[in-house]
Amino acid sequence: MELRTVATTPFDDQRPGTSGLRKTVTHFRQENYLENFVQAVFDTVPELKGGTLVLGGDGRFYNREACQTILRMAAANGIARVMVGRDGLLSTPAASVVIRKHQTQGGLILSASHNPGGPDGDFGIKFNTANGGPAPETLTEAIYARSRELSEYRIYDHPDIPLYETGVFSIADTHIIVFDPVSDYAELMEEVFDFEAIRQLFLGGFRMRFDAMHAITGPYAHDILERRLGAPEGTVIHGTPLPDFGGHHPDPNLAHATELVNELFDDAGPDFGAASDGDGDRNMILGRQCFVTPSDSLALILANAELVPGYRGRVCGVARSMPTSGAADKVAKKLGLEAFETPTGWKFFGNLLDAGRITFCGEESFGTSSDHIREKDGLWAVLCWLNILAVRQQSVIDIVRAHWAEYGRNYYTRHDYEGIDLVAAQGLMAHIEAQFPALTGKELAGGKVAYADNFSYTDPVDGGVSKNQGLRIGFEDGSRIIYRLSGTGTVGATLRLYIERFEADPAQQRQDTQQALAPLITLALELAELPQRTGREAPTVIT
Ligand code: VG1
Ligand code: CO
């Protein structure tokens, strides 16, 4: 066994995006590409030396190979202990649980989340800090800066560590602890939710389908839903993690979880349906003939938090990402709670959670969570809904409609244009922004523009400023059009168009979403000259 110092040259494209460094598998497999980034992390986070690192991923292609490389590098960099999930598996929320519970100095999560996997798919890596949350921007920028000046990395020559069973191994002086990726997470869920009430719900014949999309939540869902909560076997579908996710997008939305959606929209469908993404941090919530938008889900969870033992009597505030609909704000206002609007990406919730300013937070992109960890958490959201359904004994659709009647409905949609030309996308954004000075006060699509700006965020806890976080056009009645370029794509540019309209009148709350938003969508396309500039007649995905 030999410690090697390997000479390397920097790559110039290792700046982490919305959620870590995400590239195609081919890109990641270039010589030294992974090693350089991992060395940049180790150099930037000196606490890891002599400390403990958590490691695991969503099981996608290259996950195991990357784990072995990182273990060898961790030992060569003097990390005292690495806790690695069995088979190299660990969901993003479970990584957050383990980092916090075992008070480690951080963790590396191997995942490209909802992006497709396999040899022709994507891979990714993200560093989470000691609070269990994604590295804040200052740290990701420091890692990026280090990656630009790197000249060598350290690694041990060592045979692979057997990851297929739990146990303790070592490379030089570094202990490698292979642990069960499910148990710490499942135990925390038992503390937060009323498992007895949910057990009774299933005993009463309540039917549910959970689609793990051949991604990481399979083992967690089998254990929690079918074993601990007694849901019948078969409740969890696609429950075995596969390196290519069965050839599908592990993205829980109406476009990609079609089998589940079709089942739930059948008259004889189950009472409740849910799905999670590649790394287990996203969730989609469905009732029979009912899709709950993630923005509504956040609002509903907040409004019903007193029914969940882990939150009773202690809810302090809520945060949502800027493009997420304002539904949660309405609930916060009624309950007299603070509400925050942050840029897209979970890292912006960290300070608010650590400071005890918010209990719940969420994003329109199927991400919801609370202060129990510092990541978004797919199964947590599902259990939240099960807990609420168990107590309220009403159908999902009745609960949603009652919520709209009380707070109003925020019609909401997101249109994604994937893989468009980067220069065209930047030109489109510049063209929209150039119109902003003339937009305020104008009557458009039956509404008056109240403001048009490029969203900038000042962190209320540390005062840090994040600029250029998306273009917003806000109307006096609360409607909004938002344009953003994605920070997680790996090919060309992805333009996200977010549209929202508030409807207070219950008689007007049953329209089809796309129809209800049609005038605003048309306006958004016109202002952006979207078809002309991108050559696209229709979005790639509508959620
Ligand atoms: C997308 C979502 C964002 C989410 C991010 C990571 O980012 O819009 O809300 O936090 O993915 O989610 P972007 O920059 O492509 O819009 V995951 O489940 O990939 O960790
Ligand atoms: Co994810």
Side-chain angles (χ1 to χ4, degrees):
M1 195 173 60
E2 189 200 342
L3 194 161
R4 285 195 295 131
T5 301
V6 181
T8 187
T9 45
F11 294 88
D12 62 5
D13 65 349
Q14 299 200 320
R15 173 183 254 146
T18 313
S19 178
L21 181 67
R22 216 171 273 192
K23 303 283 175 199
T24 61
V25 168
T26 328
H27 203 87
F28 255 104
R29 289 171 108 190
Q30 294 174 81
E31 195 177 359
N32 298 343
Y33 194 84
L34 172 74
E35 289 85 346
N36 273 21
F37 187 75
V38 172
Q39 188 64 53
V41 172
F42 290 168
D43 288 349
T44 315
V45 190
E47 320 76 277
L48 288 170
K49 198 166 187 179
T52 303
L53 175 78
V54 172
L55 175 65
D58 62 11
R60 69 177 58 226
F61 186 85
Y62 197 50
N63 187 113
R64 286 189 196 181
E65 235 172 301
C67 270
Q68 298 290 352
T69 301
I70 294 168
L71 290 174
R72 293 185 185 106
M73 287 186 67
N77 281 278
I79 292 172
R81 268 173 310 275
V82 184
M83 298 182 62
V84 52
R86 189 179 51 232
D87 282 325
L89 296 179
L90 196 57
S91 76
T92 289
S96 191
V97 171
V98 174
I99 292 169
R100 292 169 69 79
K101 179 168 174 181
H102 300 275
Q103 297 181 351
T104 78
Q105 280 63 46
L108 284 170
I109 305 172
L110 308 175
S111 171
S113 189
H114 54 288
N115 296 24
D120 301 321
D122 290 340
F123 190 75
I125 178 166
K126 50 185 175 174
F127 179 70
N128 279 28
T129 50
N131 74 345
E137 261 192 339
T138 41
L139 182 53
T140 54
E141 284 300 304
I143 293 168
Y144 173 57
R146 179 68 193 138
S147 79
R148 303 282 311 253
E149 58 179 33
L150 210 68
S151 60
E152 57 184 41
Y153 65 83
R154 288 180 291 286
I155 190 162
Y156 263 107
D157 276 332
H158 193 279
D160 280 359
I161 298 295
L163 295 179
Y164 49 82
E165 54 184 353
T166 55
V168 181
F169 306 89
S170 61
I171 299 178
D173 293 334
T174 299
H175 291 291
I176 314 269
I177 301 144
V178 183
F179 68 98
D180 168 23
V182 175
S183 51
D184 283 339
Y185 178 83
E187 279 163 26
L188 178 60
M189 294 301 114
E190 284 189 326
E191 283 168 29
V192 173
F193 298 106
D194 188 344
F195 268 42
E196 191 44 43
I198 304 173
R199 248 177 243 126
Q200 292 304 323
L201 182 72
F202 282 121
L203 274 177
F206 179 87
R207 287 192 305 132
M208 163 178 187
R209 193 75 71 232
F210 179 85
D211 189 348
M213 306 191 87
H214 287 306
I216 191 67
T217 43
Y220 296 85
H222 278 302
D223 181 66
I224 295 172
L225 299 175
E226 294 177 352
R227 204 175 65 77
R228 298 181 193 240
L229 289 169
E233 229 173 88
T235 296
V236 178
I237 57 170
H238 306 139
T240 308
L242 299 176
D244 68 348
F245 309 116
H248 300 294
H249 273 256
D251 198 353
N253 61 32
L254 296 175
H256 294 302
T258 41
E259 187 183 329
L260 178 78
V261 173
N262 289 342
E263 201 182 347
L264 267 291
F265 277 81
D266 193 283
D267 284 341
D271 303 287
F272 182 56
S276 190
D277 72 330
D279 61 332
D281 55 0
R282 295 186 178 207
N283 72 91
M284 174 168 66
I285 300 295
L286 300 162
R288 189 183 303 119
Q289 274 152 2
C290 174
F291 161 65
V292 187
T293 70
S295 301
D296 277 353
S297 181
L298 175 65
L300 267 145
I301 288 172
L302 179 65
N304 289 279
E306 293 299 316
L307 307 180
V308 181
Y311 302 105
R312 197 165 294 144
R314 65 166 205 87
V315 177
C316 65
V318 67
R320 60 165 175 83
S321 69
M322 182 274 282
T324 304
S325 98
D329 304 19
K330 305 266 177 210
V331 181
K333 193 163 182 212
K334 191 158 186 175
L335 299 177
L337 301 171
E338 269 197 299
F340 299 88
E341 183 175 44
T342 58
T344 293
W346 213 260
K347 57 184 170 228
F348 294 104
F349 295 132
N351 277 346
L352 293 168
L353 290 163
D354 284 349
R357 300 280 291 273
I358 56 171
T359 308
F360 299 104
C361 43
E363 297 189 278
E364 49 66 41
S365 56
F366 298 81
T368 333
S369 196
S370 84
D371 58 3
H372 69 296
I373 54 171
R374 294 294 179 272
E375 279 282 4
K376 55 185 187 255
D377 190 344
L379 268 170
W380 171 90
V382 174
L383 292 167
C384 231
W385 269 90
L386 281 171
N387 193 142
I388 293 165
L389 289 164
V391 176
R392 289 189 50 168
Q393 298 284 324
Q394 284 170 291
S395 68
V396 174
I397 202 164
D398 286 347
I399 291 176
V400 170
R401 285 180 176 162
H403 185 91
W404 291 341
E406 184 172 353
Y407 297 96
R409 174 175 183 183
N410 293 70
Y411 282 107
Y412 188 84
T413 192
R414 184 176 105 183
H415 290 200
D416 292 334
Y417 293 81
E418 294 175 357
I420 57 177
D421 180 71
L422 183 60
V423 176
Q426 286 163 344
L428 178 147
M429 293 294 277
H431 171 69
I432 299 164
E433 204 172 350
Q435 299 170 66
F436 280 179
L439 280 183
T440 313
K442 249 189 172 174
E443 293 280 345
L444 291 170
K448 195 167 186 185
V449 177
Y451 61 91
D453 64 7
N454 187 334
F455 181 56
S456 174
Y457 177 66
T458 304
D459 188 302
V461 180
D462 68 16
V465 177
S466 304
K467 292 187 173 153
N468 282 317
Q469 297 296 326
L471 303 179
R472 338 185 266 185
I473 302 172
F475 293 80
E476 282 183 347
D477 66 355
S479 299
R480 293 191 304 163
I481 296 173
I482 293 151
Y483 307 85
R484 245 191 95 245
L485 293 183
S486 154
T488 59
T490 55
V491 190
T494 292
L495 172 71
R496 303 202 196 287
L497 175 61
Y498 311 83
I499 312 273
E500 168 178 18
R501 179 166 83 77
F502 180 68
E503 180 56 73
D505 178 4
Q508 299 297 325
Q509 290 174 352
R510 302 273 184 98
Q511 296 172 55
D512 170 77
T513 299
Q514 299 302 318
Q515 269 165 18
L517 296 173
L520 285 167
I521 295 170
T522 307
L523 172 64
L525 298 180
E526 279 169 17
L527 289 175
E529 295 179 351
L530 197 140
Q532 301 92 308
R533 288 174 177 273
T534 64
R536 299 290 175 87
E537 289 303 322
T540 322
V541 182
I542 295 182
T543 49

